[in-house]
Amino acid sequence: TDLPLTDSFRGVTAETIKLGVAMLDFQQLYDNGVIDRPFGDLELAYQAAIDEVNDNGGILGRQIEAVYDLYFPVGDTEGLDTCIQFTEDEEVFAVLGVIPGFLTTIIDCITRDHETVHIGFELNQASIEAAGGLLVTPGITADRRLDGLLALLEQTGDLDGSTVAVFGSQSEQDRIENAVVPALE
């Protein structure tokens, strides 16, 4: 049965679904020596994908309307501004794009504080569980990847009798100390 589409939720009208697209400022990361090359025009790439969906009927007959924001992922300030822009100012249905899993205050702002769906990458299971069903990832979580890798290493015996060094960023220190090192031991 073809039911008529209605304005059904924040950011969802009978005709459109409004999405926030968070984009890391790769140019600024490059300019500050954090990465070795910029990544080009991300908005153009996202819009091409959205246009493809819209040109093929949209999502259940609704066209995607994107709102873009570029932010510098050092500290929380710009990311929290992005959260507020998407959730309070633009009232999007969902936020997608790159918000690194270690920026939990920004992810919590979107999901927990503003009850908005976030479709993200490189997320951890604790963040997914804390979001109450509003945080999804199309990929495997870092926790599951670690479990799979360690199970494979145990099964093959490749680390038997070996000494292993673990390197990571300061933002990952808690995970390294409380998950990685005990699992290796």
Side-chain angles (χ1 to χ4, degrees), residues 29-89:
L29 289 168
Y30 172 74
D31 292 345
N32 285 286
V34 177
I35 58 176
D36 61 359
R37 63 184 165 87
F39 283 80
D41 190 340
L42 293 178
E43 185 173 333
L44 183 65
Y46 276 109
Q47 193 59 51
I50 289 168
D51 289 346
E52 176 74 18
V53 172
N54 286 341
D55 291 347
N56 287 289
I59 299 174
L60 299 176
R62 292 178 171 99
Q63 296 290 290
I64 300 172
E65 177 185 314
V67 178
Y68 296 95
D69 191 60
L70 189 68
Y71 75 99
F72 189 57
V74 175
D76 293 339
T77 304
E78 286 189 34
L80 289 172
D81 290 345
T82 295
C83 168
I84 298 303
Q85 177 192 342
F86 289 152
T87 59
E88 294 181 19
D89 300 342

Side-chain angles (χ1 to χ4, degrees), residues 90-118:
E90 295 290 343
E91 296 183 338
V92 301
F93 170 71
V95 174
L96 56 104
V98 179
I99 300 175
F102 63 85
L103 295 176
T104 55
T105 55
I106 299 165
I107 294 169
D108 288 347
C109 176
I110 294 166
T111 58
R112 185 193 64 214
D113 301 343
H114 290 91
E115 297 180 339
T116 301
V117 173
H118 172 55

Side-chain angles (χ1 to χ4, degrees), residues 129-152:
E129 290 169 6
L134 295 173
L135 182 59
V136 295
T137 181
I140 187 170
T141 64
D143 301 325
R144 291 197 63 191
R145 185 173 33 252
L146 174 65
D147 290 346
L149 174 62
L150 292 174
L152 182 62

Side-chain angles (χ1 to χ4, degrees), residues 146-147 150-151 154 159 175-185:
L146 174 65
D147 290 346
L150 292 174
E154 183 176 14
L159 292 182
R175 183 167 179 270
I176 290 168
E177 291 175 356
N178 296 311
V180 176
V181 171
L184 285 168
E185 291 173 343

Side-chain angles (χ1 to χ4, degrees), residues 153-165:
L153 289 170
E154 183 176 14
Q155 180 183 358
T156 62
D158 286 347
L159 292 182
D160 290 350
S162 298
T163 300
V164 177

